[in-house]
Structure formats: structure tokens, C-alpha cells
Amino acid sequence: MKSTLTNFLTIEYELPGTRAFSTQRGCADASDAYDGLSVCHYVDAPDHIVEESRRIVANEFGVTPERLVIPRQTHSSAVAVIDDTYPDINLDGVDAMVTQRNDIVLCINTADCVPVVLCDPIAGVLGIAHSGWRGTVSRISALTIDEMCRQGALPQHIHAVMGPCICPDCFEVGEEVASIFKKEFPFVSGIVMSGPVKPHVDLPEAIRVTLIEAGLPTGYITMPPACSHCNPALYFSARRLGIKSGRTLTAAKLL
Ligand SMILES: [Zn+2]
């Protein structure tokens, strides 16, 4: 496999008081599950890719790689507070983080799941979450907002962006998962749809509803820029490549 990491690109998000972006793969061979920039250390990616990717991303933020806070995500609804005790914090089984520090970078890895970045620029509180279907039905975005508010944020001041993730046309689910979404979002249309074979679920729409329920202004919510599954050359997709594959990074740092 050729190293093409220098070709990687970022999708920059407009979030006040915060630098935030998602990465594109910059790969030579989209069918190679690990080809492209990926900082994720627990998906069996070659060490040299992880190390080089971390160096490149840290450099983008003007920090050392040790300042990248990268949890081991497990589709939990655990939200970690990254305060002055970091790095002495257990980040195993963590799928969301909140911080008031401006000298560290919060990182979430995804391949079809939805990365969500949240910031209150007035209070100076940053949040980030990994919202797959499990995280979405357990409203991990709202749990992250709850923790942000304990740190001084106000829902009406929080801006949110979602990164690249699987689109509703690509996200076919079993009847069981569809019925869980219907139960969790009973009065909302447009989240579960019937498809040609099986039902389809619109994860970003379910998250948008969750953010509005939590009190965010609708105008402060930015929907995903692209589908991870429709664009294999740009984003990792676990549905396409398997779970043993690289991950798209979404990273954010308070300014
Ligand atoms: Zn798609």
C-alpha cells in the first residue's frame, strides 16, 4: 500500500470559538480498508499509519500528538469530562467528551456513524459525541449537552455540526432496529422510512430532533456534509469495508 497521507484533506466546520474539522481519506486505493488517514488505534490499522496520521492532525492544530484526546469508543452512552486530571483519565468505553480546556483536541472516530461537535462559544465549553444507532436512541448528544451545561454552557448558546455519516438511503436496518427508533421517536415523522427491502433510518434527522428537544436553536444546527457510504474514496465506511477498517476523524479544539 502506498502512503498517501500527505494527500488528506479536511472539511472545516464553521463553529464560533472552535476549530473543528473532519478528515477525508486521501487514499490511493479506496478498496483497501486501511488506506488513508486514520488516527484510530483499536481497529488493527498498521501502526505507522496511526502514528503518522496523529502527527499530521496534531500539526494542523499546532499541538503535539499527546494533546489529541482519543477514546476507545464502544457504542456506549458514557460522557467523559476532560479537565485538568487528563491524561490520568480512563478513556476506555467512552463515546462522548466535554472540555473547557483550549490546549487539547477532542477526537471522535467514525465509519458511517455520526460525529457530532457541540460548542458554547460564550461559556467556552466544547463537546463531541459518537452517535451510531445505539448512541442515537440513547440520545448521547443530549447527554453531552447535559454535561456541557453542568460546565456552564446554556442550550440556547450551543452550536452543533454533524460530520460525514451514512445517509438514510444507504442506512437499511432490520425491523427490530426500526421499531426501537419508532418507540424512541414516536411523534416524529421522517426518521424511520420503509425501503424497497427493509426499513431505512435517518440518523442525522433523529439527532437533529434530539438537539432541538435539548433546547438548541434550529439555526445553530448544521447537517452532515456528505454520506460516508456513498463516497468510498473520501470516507471510511464500515458497511462497505467491514469494521476492521480505518476511521474518519472528527476533531475539535477551543480557540
Ligand atoms: Zn449514502
Side-chain angles (χ1 to χ4, degrees):
M1 186 179 76
K2 281 186 229 160
S3 174
T4 55
L5 297 183
T6 49
N7 296 334
F8 99 105
L9 290 171
T10 60
I11 313 171
E12 300 282 338
Y13 300 120
E14 281 188 37
L15 275 171
T18 304
R19 167 103 194 266
F21 61 74
S22 294
T23 56
Q24 294 185 336
R25 292 176 67 177
C27 59
D29 177 4
S31 67
D32 183 322
Y34 292 113
D35 189 354
L37 185 133
S38 175
V39 306
C40 193
H41 56 285
Y42 53 86
V43 287
D44 295 349
D47 289 343
H48 74 274
I49 288 188
V50 174
E51 277 168 37
E52 179 66 1
S53 297
R54 289 184 182 195
R55 196 190 60 71
I56 290 169
V57 171
N59 195 46
E60 278 289 316
F61 283 100
V63 299
T64 57
E66 297 73 40
R67 299 284 171 149
L68 304 179
V69 187
I70 309 171
R72 186 185 174 90
Q73 302 165 197
T74 56
H75 297 274
S76 74
S77 48
V79 184
V81 177
I82 311 299
D83 57 16
D84 289 341
T85 58
Y86 179 81
D88 298 321
I89 287 178
N90 181 13
L91 290 173
D92 200 351
V94 164
D95 288 80
M97 297 177 287
V98 170
T99 197
Q100 294 178 264
R101 288 178 61 167
N102 66 0
D103 61 341
I104 48 152
V105 181
L106 300 186
C107 297
I108 284 292
N109 288 295
T110 58
D112 294 333
C113 294
V114 191
V116 186
V117 183
L118 302 151
C119 79
D120 176 341
I122 298 168
V125 182
L126 177 66
I128 196 165
H130 158 232
S131 194
W133 77 259
R134 286 185 183 82
T136 301
V137 293
S138 63
R139 288 177 165 77
I140 191 167
S141 300
L143 298 172
T144 308
I145 290 166
D146 288 346
E147 189 53 57
M148 290 174 72
C149 292
R150 282 192 281 276
Q151 310 280 321
L154 292 173
Q156 61 268 34
H157 293 162
I158 296 177
H159 296 248
V161 297
M162 295 177 227
C165 60
I166 195 162
C167 77
D169 285 345
C170 292
F171 194 40
E172 190 184 70
V173 299
E175 292 292 348
E176 221 177 87
V177 171
S179 65
I180 294 171
F181 272 87
K182 282 180 191 161
K183 186 167 158 275
E184 284 298 325
F185 299 93
F187 306 114
V188 188
S189 61
I191 291 178
V192 182
M193 291 144 288
S194 52
V197 184
K198 289 178 176 177
H200 288 240
V201 164
D202 189 336
L203 287 178
E205 179 60 14
I207 294 167
R208 192 179 76 88
V209 167
T210 301
L211 297 173
I212 292 168
E213 284 172 351
L216 270 63
T218 53
Y220 283 8
I221 301 168
T222 304
M223 299 302 276
C227 171
S228 50
H229 189 259
C230 289
N231 296 281
L234 301 180
Y235 307 108
F236 292 103
S237 167
R239 284 226 166 180
R240 204 178 273 285
L241 301 167
I243 56 164
K244 297 285 185 193
S245 59
R247 294 291 184 271
T248 297
L249 168 70
T250 297
K253 179 184 166 297
L254 287 170
L255 296 174

